[in-house]
Amino acid sequence: MEGKEEYTQDGTVDLRGRPVLASKTGRWKACAFLVGYEAFERMAFYGIYSNLVNYITTQLHEDTVSSVRNVNNWSGCVWITPILGAYIADTYLGRFWTFTFSSLIYVVGMVFLTLAVSIKSLKPTCTHGICSKASPLQITYFYLSLYIIAIGAGGTKPNISTFGADQFDDYNPYEKELKDSFFNWWMFSSFLGALFATLGLVYIQENVGWGLGYGIPTVGLVFSLFIFYIGTPIYRHKVKKTKRPAKEVFQVLVTAVKNRDRKLPDNPAELYEFEPQHYITTGKRQVHYTPIFRFGHYNLIFFSTYK
């Protein structure tokens, strides 16, 4: 029979909600499946974004001002939807399932976009060197593909890296060091994918074909997801301990505002904090003291009176 000390100390479980053995799950054996996805996802995003204005002006024949405005609107949507994706993961579905559904949406958007730049009926026609503007149907299909990608990115961006962090036990000093290494390789894979997109895919799009230029990251994304799901049996999952995280954040802000006129202690150790065993039992993560965001420390004065 396995000893209790062999299970993870942070309360992580498998996909069925059962406690997991530290020696057989998580760590780099799990994260190796995640790093490849990040490289292909960054390659897909920057393969689109880096040359999108050029495609809209030269292939859809929109004017430059409209093209830049539309690209900025889409880019802003890509970067703001992760707020919703993170909320859904923390409140309802969890990181794994939010990422799963969102990644499928992302792939659908990439497939639609690849078809939009490949199929003749979805692009403006040119006769004797004179090209007509894109029809309303063609424009609708093209931008629909882009915004499907934006919705998918909203669920994948905030959850895949944090899901990787979940594979390391914060209460195990050795695994805590491994987590730092994971984020180093995570950023490396991210920049590697962006570099290949900026240099390689842009060249392919302009000199070989737009279909191939968008098809390569689409195939790569599908392949990376296939690799990701192979690792499902060894992934660790955080147990959701809070039903309404947004409500708790709001309560912290309200308490901090109420205590804004009180004096903060010079010694951070005098601020209220739970015992380490509390975090192990509940599965919640301890937020360590930092000199930034001192406004939030006013929330801890209230609790210190009940220590």
Side-chain angles (χ1 to χ4, degrees):
M1 185 175 178
E2 302 290 352
K4 289 185 178 180
E5 67 276 6
E6 295 185 13
Y7 290 96
T8 55
Q9 301 178 53
D10 59 356
T12 47
V13 297
D14 64 10
L15 196 57
R16 295 182 179 180
R18 301 171 299 188
V20 293
L21 295 173
S23 61
K24 296 183 179 181
T25 59
R27 303 180 184 177
W28 265 111
K29 68 170 66 71
C31 288
F33 295 101
L34 310 181
V35 173
Y37 170 83
E38 178 64 9
F40 281 105
E41 191 280 327
R42 291 291 82 191
M43 182 175 69
F45 173 74
Y46 283 104
I48 299 170
Y49 177 75
S50 299
N51 216 18
L52 188 55
V53 171
N54 185 30
Y55 180 84
I56 294 175
T57 54
T58 62
Q59 304 299 314
L60 298 184
H61 308 293
E62 291 187 9
D63 60 88
T64 303
V65 174
S66 298
S67 300
V68 172
R69 182 180 63 249
N70 290 333
V71 171
N72 286 339
N73 290 340
W74 173 75
S75 176
C77 186
V78 169
W79 291 108
I80 202 170
T81 50
I83 297 175
L84 178 61
Y87 177 79
I88 293 174
D90 291 341
T91 308
Y92 300 107
L93 300 180
R95 295 186 181 109
F96 179 84
W97 289 114
T98 303
F99 172 81
T100 295
F101 295 132
S102 300
S103 62
L104 295 178
I105 295 174
Y106 202 135
V107 169
V108 169
M110 288 295 299
V111 171
F112 282 4
L113 187 64
T114 303
L115 294 176
V117 302
S118 303
I119 299 177
K120 291 183 178 181
S121 60
L122 297 176
K123 300 185 295 182
T125 57
C126 297
T127 305
H128 304 298
I130 301 176
C131 299
S132 59
K133 284 189 175 184
S135 67
L137 179 61
Q138 292 169 340
I139 292 176
T140 300
Y141 182 84
F142 180 79
Y143 283 108
L144 176 64
S145 303
L146 286 179
Y147 280 95
I148 289 176
I149 292 174
I151 294 172
T156 58
K157 285 180 183 295
N159 291 303
I160 186 64
S161 59
T162 50
F163 184 68
D166 290 344
Q167 307 310 308
F168 302 95
D169 190 343
D170 282 335
Y171 298 101
N172 184 317
Y174 172 67
E175 292 195 18
K176 196 170 184 179
E177 290 183 6
L178 289 179
K179 183 187 289 189
D180 294 335
S181 175
F182 162 71
F183 280 111
N184 289 335
W185 283 101
W186 182 265
M187 294 305 300
F188 175 78
S189 66
S190 177
F191 287 121
L192 187 65
L195 178 65
F196 178 77
T198 305
L199 298 180
L201 290 183
V202 170
Y203 177 85
I204 292 174
Q205 291 165 0
E206 295 186 353
N207 296 277
V208 180
W210 291 95
L212 182 62
Y214 285 161
I216 291 175
T218 301
V219 173
L221 200 61
V222 173
F223 175 75
S224 66
L225 287 174
F226 176 75
I227 297 298
F228 171 83
Y229 291 115
I230 290 178
T232 300
I234 61 174
Y235 290 147
R236 298 175 183 176
H237 303 264
K238 287 287 186 181
V239 179
K240 188 177 66 173
K241 298 294 184 177
T242 302
K243 293 184 178 180
R244 297 179 179 178
K247 180 180 179 180
E248 291 192 358
V249 172
F250 180 73
Q251 288 174 336
V252 169
L253 296 176
V254 170
T255 305
V257 170
K258 289 180 178 179
N259 293 334
R260 66 186 183 278
D261 294 329
R262 301 181 64 179
K263 185 178 183 301
L264 288 172
D266 296 328
N267 184 4
E270 297 179 17
L271 294 171
Y272 180 79
E273 184 56 85
F274 290 113
E275 297 296 330
Q277 184 61 37
H278 169 81
Y279 297 100
I280 297 176
T281 304
T282 61
K284 293 183 179 180
R285 289 182 177 177
Q286 181 179 1
V287 179
H288 296 282
Y289 171 84
T290 63
I292 60 175
F293 298 116
R294 286 175 57 85
F295 176 76
H297 298 162
Y298 287 99
N299 176 68
L300 302 178
I301 300 176
F302 173 78
F303 293 106
S304 64
T305 59
Y306 296 96
K307 291 182 66 174

